[in-house]
Amino acid sequence: MGNLYSYCPLCGDGLVEKSVDHKTRKVCKSCEFIHYQNPVPAAGVILVEEGRVLLVKRKYEPRVGMWTLPAGFMEMDEDAPTCAVREAKEETNLDVELVRLFDVYSAFDDPRTAVVLVLYLVRRTGGELKCGDDASDARYFDLTDLPQTIAFRAHRTALADVQKQFAAGLI
Ligand SMILES: [Zn+2]
């Protein structure tokens, strides 16, 4: 999964597979480099208003044309709440503030990398809804009538949890 190095990024020599810490990893033939692979953290928002949840339509691969919660990968200098609020603004133009942590999901069906997705329940504080550069559409869907084409399993699982919590009066 993800892009594997073919050559050592430190010295340029070839990599060979070796067991390190009980896992097969690529290690450099010449230097100390070990190609550890870890999930990439992402963060996003769950904005529910009057029984409807905000989703965005993917403009780019993978899963172009499918729907997800507004979310994206964290930058190196960013914490999870900052990333979630930034992604909401970039993808939907809405200003949001955090209400609470909703849940954390692991995802293994994104062809780019394994992902740890941190989702926050948020409320809207401003802005006018319009889709941003990464999205081809942004709109609210009734929680009882979500689109069939949710792009990633983590988002499908999260939305099922949102439906349950909403039905139980917890959102
Ligand atoms: Zn090397």
Side-chain angles (χ1 to χ4, degrees):
M1 176 182 285
N3 292 320
L4 288 170
Y5 288 125
S6 300
Y7 297 96
C8 177
L10 300 182
C11 76
D13 203 352
L15 300 176
V16 291
E17 290 197 333
K18 221 168 141 181
S19 179
V20 180
D21 304 334
H22 316 290
K23 281 266 191 193
T24 301
R25 307 179 198 273
K26 285 190 168 180
V27 303
C28 181
K29 288 194 276 190
S30 298
C31 76
E32 310 264 284
F33 176 74
I34 301 170
H35 184 22
Y36 288 105
Q37 286 194 288
N38 304 97
V40 176
V45 302
I46 296 167
L47 177 57
V48 176
E49 291 182 349
E50 293 166 0
R52 299 182 310 152
V53 65
L54 180 63
L55 299 179
V56 295
K57 196 175 196 178
R58 293 185 58 79
K59 191 174 179 180
Y60 299 113
E61 291 292 352
R63 318 280 165 86
V64 61
M66 299 175 83
W67 295 89
T68 70
L69 293 157
F73 292 115
M74 277 179 221
E75 298 290 352
M76 195 60 101
D77 60 352
E78 206 173 40
D79 60 19
T82 307
C83 175
V85 170
R86 174 181 60 75
E87 290 288 346
K89 184 67 182 176
E90 285 179 6
E91 296 189 342
T92 72
N93 193 46
L94 295 183
D95 301 304
V96 299
E97 65 180 14
L98 305 186
V99 175
R100 65 172 165 87
L101 178 65
F102 184 76
D103 213 338
V104 179
Y105 299 86
S106 286
F108 305 100
D109 64 337
D110 186 324
R112 296 167 295 182
T113 181
V115 179
V116 175
L117 176 63
V118 182
L119 289 176
Y120 293 93
L121 212 55
V122 299
R123 74 170 67 90
R124 182 214 291 237
T125 57
E128 196 177 314
L129 181 61
K130 66 172 193 258
C131 69
D133 290 344
D134 283 4
S136 60
D137 199 359
R139 68 166 81 147
Y140 289 90
F141 285 88
D142 198 294
L143 278 168
T144 60
D145 191 21
L146 295 176
Q148 292 299 305
T149 54
I150 303 296
F152 300 110
R153 194 175 305 126
H155 291 255
R156 287 197 291 277
T157 307
L159 283 165
D161 292 343
V162 171
Q163 287 172 320
K164 273 181 234 155
Q165 292 202 19
F166 185 79
L170 299 170
I171 292 176

